[in-house]
């Protein structure tokens, strides 16, 4: 209790407004013995803030996002940066939103053990290629990184967990969906409540405005390069081309662990990359519209609205599941549950009188039986401080 009071006092004294606290990096050097390494062969890393008071046995594991690499040259370029090498990662990371340590900003999970797992493999933690090309010296070991980190956290106390959440944003959000049941398998005791929360990871299989299947082709290259198929559910890969099992719409029906999906029907990344990739916008007609909805023409708005309709139809077409929850906004935004002003604040999106933090908390702790929060607003819009 003394720790809790001290944290509250410091927040009041220094005017903490949701920008977070700084947590030191942990480099997992011993993971190299398991060949669990980043693209450049360096060991994986994470940031860990220990829980306190009544939540010492509760854990949130947050998987970082940051796109994918789909070719040797693409991955080679990534391997010399933060998203491909622990050598280039920051010594500290900011914990805010779902990772914050005060009840004012994170009411249900503030005193849990909170872990941010760095993303350095480029495959949403699914790759597992044994061979290492001697010329390019790239390691595709995302699945091994996931296991090595979980094993290390297990030794540091996760084995005694009573409650556990796997969460993330963007490519990490996809990783949460793809690895949700695998995460559950680390906890053999059914007394442990294990659930997954995926933010901005529901990437839909949609064509560009020019009719081309760009994201599908990109996922095909990612899955082939990283040999991800062996780490995707066999129930899915046995019925369709493995890269299609990278799309949540095809994988979620096979996910048995309770899953909560936080997304925008007009996700900013998907509008800018799935719907209108910049390399296809030769006239740069969408240059300003990508960033500012207010800059879009009426015809562009029609295309964006059509994308949102497709997104919602895909979501509604999922196999019904009473343990699954939704918080689907109309905000033109992407991957923000680690931002205090989006997760739980006066500026947070609200659906059915609930912020995202409140909706997730109600779902996780079974405080209500209704968990499908879908914004009734009929089109894309800006939300407060959400861009």
């Amino acid at each position: 209790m003394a720790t809790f009071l001290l944290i509250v006092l410091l927040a009041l004294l220094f005017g903490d407004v949701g920008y977070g606290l700084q947590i030191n990096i942990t480099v997992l050097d011993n993971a190299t013995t398991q060949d669990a390494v980043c693209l450049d062969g360096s060991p994986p890393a994470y940031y860990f803030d220990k829980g306190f008071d009544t939540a010492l046995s509760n854990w949130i594991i947050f998987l970082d996002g940051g796109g994918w690499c789909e070719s040797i040259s693409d991955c080679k370029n990534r391997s010399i940066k933060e998203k491909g090498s622990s050598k280039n990662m920051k010594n500290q990371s900011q914990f805010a939103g779902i990772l914050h340590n005060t009840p004012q900003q994170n009411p249900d999970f503030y005193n849990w053990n909170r872990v941010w797992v760095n993303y350095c493999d480029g495959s949403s933690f699914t790759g597992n290629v044994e061979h290492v090309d001697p010329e390019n010296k790239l390691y595709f070991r995302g699945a091994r990184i996931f296991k090595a980190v979980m094993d290390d956290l297990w030794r540091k106390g996760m084995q005694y967990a009573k409650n556990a959440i796997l969460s993330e944003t963007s490519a990490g959000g996809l990783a949460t969906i793809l690895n949700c049941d695998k995460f559950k398998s680390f906890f053999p005791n059914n007394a442990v409540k294990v659930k997954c929360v995926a933010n901005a990871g529901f990437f839909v299989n949609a064509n560009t405005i020019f009719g081309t299947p760009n994201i599908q082709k990109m996922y095909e290259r990612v899955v082939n390069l990283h040999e991800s198929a062996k780490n995707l559910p066999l129930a899915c890969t046995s019925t369709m081309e493995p890269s299609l099992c990278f799309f949540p719409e095809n994988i979620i029906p096979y996910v048995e662990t309770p899953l909560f999906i936080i997304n925008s029907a007009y996700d900013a990344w998907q509008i800018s990359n799935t719907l209108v990739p910049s390399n296809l916008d030769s006239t740069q007609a969408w240059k300003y519209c990508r960033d500012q909805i207010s800059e879009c023409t009426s015809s562009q708005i029609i295309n964006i609205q059509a994308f949102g309709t497709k997104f919602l139809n895909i979501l509604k077409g999922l196999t019904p599941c009473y343990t699954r929850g939704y918080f689907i906004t109309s905000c033109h935004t992407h991957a923000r549950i680690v931002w205090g002003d989006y997760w739980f604040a006066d500026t947070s999106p609200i659906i059915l009188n609930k912020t995202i933090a409140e909706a997730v908390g109600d779902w996780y702790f079974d405080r209500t039986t209704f968990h499908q929060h879908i914004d009734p607003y009929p089109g894309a819009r800006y939300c407060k401080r959400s861009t």
Side-chain angles (χ1 to χ4, degrees):
M1 179 59 71
T3 303
F4 168 74
L5 292 175
L6 177 61
I7 290 171
V8 173
L9 177 60
L10 289 173
L12 291 173
L13 286 174
F14 292 99
D16 186 349
V17 292
Y19 295 104
L21 56 154
Q22 298 296 320
I23 305 301
N24 292 329
I25 195 170
T26 297
V27 178
L28 196 55
D29 290 309
N30 64 356
T32 58
T33 62
Q34 305 173 52
D35 294 323
V37 293
C38 300
L39 285 168
D40 71 333
S42 60
Y46 60 80
Y47 305 94
F48 174 33
D49 193 31
K50 190 172 178 59
F52 55 94
D53 289 346
T54 58
L56 287 172
S57 298
N58 300 340
W59 291 75
I60 288 182
I61 313 301
F62 180 90
L63 304 179
D64 193 14
W68 310 269
C69 62
E70 56 187 278
S71 66
I72 292 296
S73 61
D74 189 18
C75 292
K76 192 71 175 177
N77 182 57
R78 189 183 181 100
S79 71
I80 60 174
K81 300 177 182 178
E82 180 184 0
K83 299 297 183 182
S85 171
S86 59
K87 297 176 184 177
N88 298 305
M89 292 174 185
K90 298 175 182 177
N91 291 328
Q92 292 186 321
S93 180
Q94 179 176 275
F95 276 26
I98 194 174
L99 297 178
H100 207 276
N101 67 345
T102 65
Q104 292 87 351
Q105 299 188 34
N106 189 20
D108 285 306
F109 312 113
Y110 69 94
N111 56 351
W112 288 33
N113 295 285
R114 287 153 291 110
V115 183
W116 177 306
V117 182
N118 289 39
Y119 179 37
C120 64
D121 67 276
S123 71
S124 287
F125 297 91
T126 63
N128 192 2
V129 179
E130 187 68 36
H131 174 71
V132 179
D133 187 328
E135 179 181 353
N136 296 294
K137 296 181 180 178
L138 289 173
Y139 299 78
F140 302 105
R141 304 283 174 76
R144 298 188 193 189
I145 291 173
F146 183 81
K147 184 178 187 306
V149 170
M150 296 305 150
D151 287 344
D152 191 62
L153 295 175
W154 187 263
R155 292 188 291 269
K156 289 182 177 177
M158 199 168 70
Q159 60 181 304
Y160 305 113
K162 295 180 180 178
N163 295 285
I165 292 175
L166 182 66
S167 185
E168 53 22 73
T169 59
S170 195
L174 175 60
T176 292
I177 296 170
L178 296 176
N179 289 286
C180 186
D181 285 342
K182 186 180 294 185
F183 179 67
K184 175 67 169 67
S185 71
F186 282 96
F187 304 91
N189 187 347
N190 288 330
V192 181
K193 178 180 284 190
V194 181
K195 298 186 179 183
C196 301
V197 179
N199 174 218
F202 198 98
F203 299 93
V204 298
N205 189 2
N207 288 343
T208 69
I209 59 171
F210 308 101
T212 54
N214 279 38
I215 191 168
Q216 181 181 332
K217 292 299 182 184
M218 182 188 72
Y219 277 176
E220 186 176 316
R221 292 189 292 271
V222 170
V223 168
N224 290 339
L225 179 63
H226 294 263
E227 296 184 11
S228 300
K230 65 186 74 171
N231 291 301
L232 299 174
L234 181 61
C236 182
T237 57
S238 63
T239 62
M240 63 184 72
E241 202 276 320
S243 64
L244 293 177
C245 296
F246 229 57
F247 286 103
E249 62 204 72
N250 295 325
I251 203 72
I252 285 176
Y254 302 104
V255 176
E256 298 180 355
T257 307
L259 174 66
F260 196 98
I261 298 168
I262 304 166
N263 230 97
S264 170
Y266 306 94
D267 180 86
W269 188 95
Q270 295 190 64
I271 297 300
S272 297
N273 294 273
T274 299
L275 186 63
V276 196
S278 58
N279 65 311
L280 297 184
D281 186 22
S282 58
T283 63
Q284 295 192 325
W286 285 75
K287 180 180 179 180
Y288 299 106
C289 177
R290 283 191 185 89
D291 298 325
Q292 300 281 344
I293 289 292
S294 59
E295 297 293 327
C296 297
T297 65
S298 57
S299 62
Q300 288 171 335
I301 290 293
I302 289 173
N303 280 301
I304 291 173
Q305 305 287 58
F307 179 88
T309 298
K310 181 177 180 65
F311 180 97
L312 291 172
N313 286 338
I314 289 173
L315 189 76
K316 293 173 183 176
L318 292 176
T319 306
C321 178
Y322 74 93
T323 63
R324 193 183 306 140
Y326 301 109
F327 197 99
I328 309 299
T329 75
S330 296
C331 305
H332 182 251
T333 187
H334 180 71
R336 296 191 53 99
I337 63 169
V338 285
W339 291 67
D341 59 3
Y342 197 75
W343 173 247
F344 184 68
D346 292 340
T347 52
S348 303
I350 293 178
I351 303 176
L352 300 178
N353 296 317
K354 298 284 185 180
T355 61
I356 297 174
E358 291 169 321
V360 171
D362 286 349
W363 167 79
Y364 184 84
F365 292 108
D366 302 309
R367 291 193 292 240
T368 66
T369 57
F370 181 79
H371 305 302
Q372 296 191 2
H373 301 73
I374 300 178
D375 193 347
Y377 187 80
R381 60 176 172 176
Y382 279 124
C383 298
K384 294 180 180 180
R385 298 176 66 182
S386 65
T387 59

